[in-house]
Amino acid sequence: MRGKWLWLFVIFGLPLLLTALIPISSRGRSAASLPEFMPIADRTGSVADCATVPYSTDDVVQPPELSEELPHFVIPPHLEGATLVDLGLYIVGITEIDPVSNTFSVEGFMDLIWCDPRHIFDAEVLGWDEQVYLEEVALEELGFIWWPDITFPNEKGSRDRENAQVIIYEDGTVEYQERFAVTLEANYDLRQFPFDRQTLPIEIESLAWSEEFLEFHIAEGKVGFSEEFEIPEWNTESVTTHIESVQEIRDTEPFSEFMMEIEVTRNPGFYIWKVFLPLMLIVMLSWSVFWTLEEPLPDSLAISFTGILTVVAYQFVLGDSLPRIPYITFMDAVLMFSFVLMAATIGENILVHILKLEDRVEAAQRIEVISRYAFPAIYVTALVIMVITFGII
């Protein structure tokens, strides 16, 4: 009688217990806890505009006179030292986090501010204190002035730019704004899949100007996220930004780089309800052969083989969600051990059948009774060891 109660607990109680324990480490903070974005129309707080930079018109490099014989080229404005550039990044959304291709897609606004006193003009003569260039005209204007020449080093393909805008203020301050969409590469670690934590890096640097000529500064009031920012299937844990000096193989000199790192954890609910719980129930139902001592061997083997084929089907389905990685994920470990344990029930069935043919019924019954408790104990112990080993909790 006690064995039947234990059996009922193993079938119905264990999945619910694991459901409560496993997701603990994957609960993240919502987007509401992220830094708020303060869209400021003016340049309040800027350290790169002409009102605050440590150089003036006397320190500016003057471009050569242009003529039909000379091609057009640009020179950084600061004669001695790097040009300081404020950088603001406002994320509208992150979509398509794709572990198979190691990419994710970003949509957002970028804001750059720097000082170039060569563009000082008389507001009274113009009748306006700023010159505004929009869309295609703005991109054309960038071809005739010095600008940071922004690129995403980890982008895959080229970014889509829209709503571009160049503003030149009367004191020579230049501001460039654009809305962009870009697909970026990331290095995903999927060992804890589907309870994994990932880092989404957004890297921005100049394509042309090394840190000798350009130095980034984070525009604190213009770095943040949309209030509706949400990543499907993922929870945002933390967001950090910093400026660092990087030098890649292709570079002869280090470059100033803006780095935003978004820590996210996967919401495993889909995999818990669609994979783990059905899989555990299938494994537990395969143990019913330990209670059917009088059943013919083919009937007992049919139950075990059905469970094995189900696990194989799960592996094929989940294979489309992951790249061909050389290491074992938590999901792989659970599937593989479930496969091995169900295969072991086949060995147990054959052994019991052989003992029955040899008229050793008592030994067969003893193995059946031991298996009723040993297999659930081994499965639960193995799951706990895998959870601890892979750092799930």
Side-chain angles (χ1 to χ4, degrees):
M1 189 68 178
R2 287 183 299 173
K4 292 184 178 179
W5 283 109
L6 177 62
W7 178 249
L8 291 174
F9 169 76
V10 169
I11 291 180
F12 299 105
L14 179 61
L16 295 177
L17 179 62
L18 291 174
T19 303
L21 289 177
I22 290 177
I24 290 177
S25 65
S26 62
R27 295 171 187 162
R29 294 182 297 172
S30 65
S33 62
L34 298 176
E36 295 183 358
F37 176 66
M38 302 295 292
I40 302 174
D42 57 23
R43 292 172 279 142
T44 302
S46 172
V47 299
D49 62 8
C50 289
T52 56
V53 292
Y55 56 93
S56 62
T57 52
D58 296 334
D59 302 315
V60 172
V61 177
Q62 296 298 330
E65 293 293 334
L66 299 180
S67 65
E68 295 181 358
E69 291 78 17
L70 290 176
H72 178 71
F73 63 94
V74 293
I75 300 174
H78 198 185
L79 183 62
E80 297 181 1
T83 299
L84 189 62
V85 177
D86 276 341
L87 193 154
L89 186 64
Y90 175 44
I91 303 300
V92 176
I94 295 180
T95 59
E96 300 179 11
I97 298 180
D98 187 358
V100 176
S101 60
N102 278 333
T103 61
F104 64 98
S105 299
V106 180
E107 295 182 14
F109 293 92
M110 183 166 48
D111 194 349
L112 305 171
I113 297 176
W114 67 94
C115 177
D116 191 340
R118 294 172 296 190
H119 300 304
I120 291 176
F121 62 89
D122 190 338
E124 293 184 0
V125 174
L126 182 65
W128 194 254
D129 58 359
E130 58 187 42
Q131 300 172 354
V132 181
Y133 304 88
L134 302 176
E135 308 302 344
E136 295 299 328
V137 178
L139 298 180
E140 292 178 5
E141 181 65 16
L142 294 179
F144 293 94
I145 66 173
W146 182 90
W147 81 292
D149 195 14
I150 291 300
T151 185
F152 291 79
N154 61 328
E155 71 180 0
K156 187 174 183 179
S158 58
R159 77 180 186 272
D160 295 327
R161 293 192 292 188
E162 57 179 324
N163 305 125
Q165 178 176 253
V166 173
I167 304 175
I168 301 178
Y169 298 92
E170 61 177 328
D171 62 355
T173 298
V174 183
E175 183 170 7
Y176 171 72
Q177 300 174 343
E178 72 171 45
R179 174 165 183 159
F180 67 90
V182 64
T183 298
L184 303 176
E185 295 181 338
N187 185 19
Y188 296 125
D189 184 351
L190 299 170
R191 287 178 175 84
Q192 295 181 337
F193 174 84
F195 306 99
D196 49 319
R197 174 191 296 264
Q198 304 296 341
T199 300
L200 308 180
I202 302 177
E203 306 171 16
I204 300 177
E205 68 178 40
S206 172
L207 179 65
W209 310 107
S210 67
E211 65 180 8
E212 178 184 356
F213 303 101
L214 183 149
E215 178 184 340
F216 282 122
H217 171 266
I218 298 175
E220 300 293 346
K222 296 186 177 183
V223 175
F225 297 84
S226 167
E227 294 180 356
E228 299 179 356
F229 178 81
E230 183 178 353
I231 311 176
E233 195 184 333
W234 297 85
N235 298 319
T236 305
E237 291 289 326
S238 64
V239 180
T240 59
T241 57
H242 62 276
I243 303 296
E244 60 182 26
S245 177
V246 297
Q247 184 170 1
E248 301 176 357
I249 297 178
R250 66 177 179 85
D251 302 326
T252 57
E253 297 177 346
F255 281 68
S256 179
E257 181 177 88
F258 170 91
M259 171 71 76
M260 174 180 286
E261 293 180 326
I262 305 173
E263 296 285 341
V264 296
T265 56
R266 191 190 302 268
N267 186 344
F270 172 84
Y271 298 96
I272 290 175
W273 295 107
K274 301 294 185 180
V275 180
F276 279 105
L277 290 184
L279 175 65
M280 291 178 185
L281 289 175
I282 291 170
V283 172
M284 293 172 187
L285 290 174
S286 71
W287 299 337
S288 63
V289 298
F290 305 143
W291 301 82
T292 57
L293 183 61
E294 303 301 326
E295 293 293 330
L297 179 62
D299 293 342
S300 299
L301 292 180
I303 296 175
S304 299
F305 275 114
T306 301
I308 290 175
L309 293 176
T310 303
V311 173
V312 172
Y314 270 123
Q315 289 179 323
F316 277 111
V317 171
L318 293 173
D320 295 334
S321 303
L322 295 174
R324 296 181 179 179
I325 50 181
Y327 51 81
I328 300 297
T329 68
F330 176 74
M331 178 75 81
D332 293 331
V334 172
L335 288 174
M336 291 175 61
F337 187 78
S338 300
F339 183 92
V340 170
L341 199 64
M342 282 190 286
T345 63
I346 297 177
E348 190 271 351
N349 288 336
I350 295 174
L351 176 60
V352 168
H353 182 70
I354 293 174
L355 292 175
K356 288 166 59 178
L357 292 177
E358 297 176 351
D359 292 328
R360 300 169 61 184
V361 177
E362 291 184 2
Q365 290 177 339
R366 193 161 47 246
I367 291 176
E368 289 280 84
V369 172
I370 293 174
S371 298
R372 293 170 187 174
Y373 301 97
F375 273 72
I378 292 172
Y379 194 54
V380 172
T381 303
L383 289 178
V384 171
I385 291 175
M386 283 186 283
V387 167
I388 296 174
T389 302
F390 282 86
I392 305 302
I393 58 174

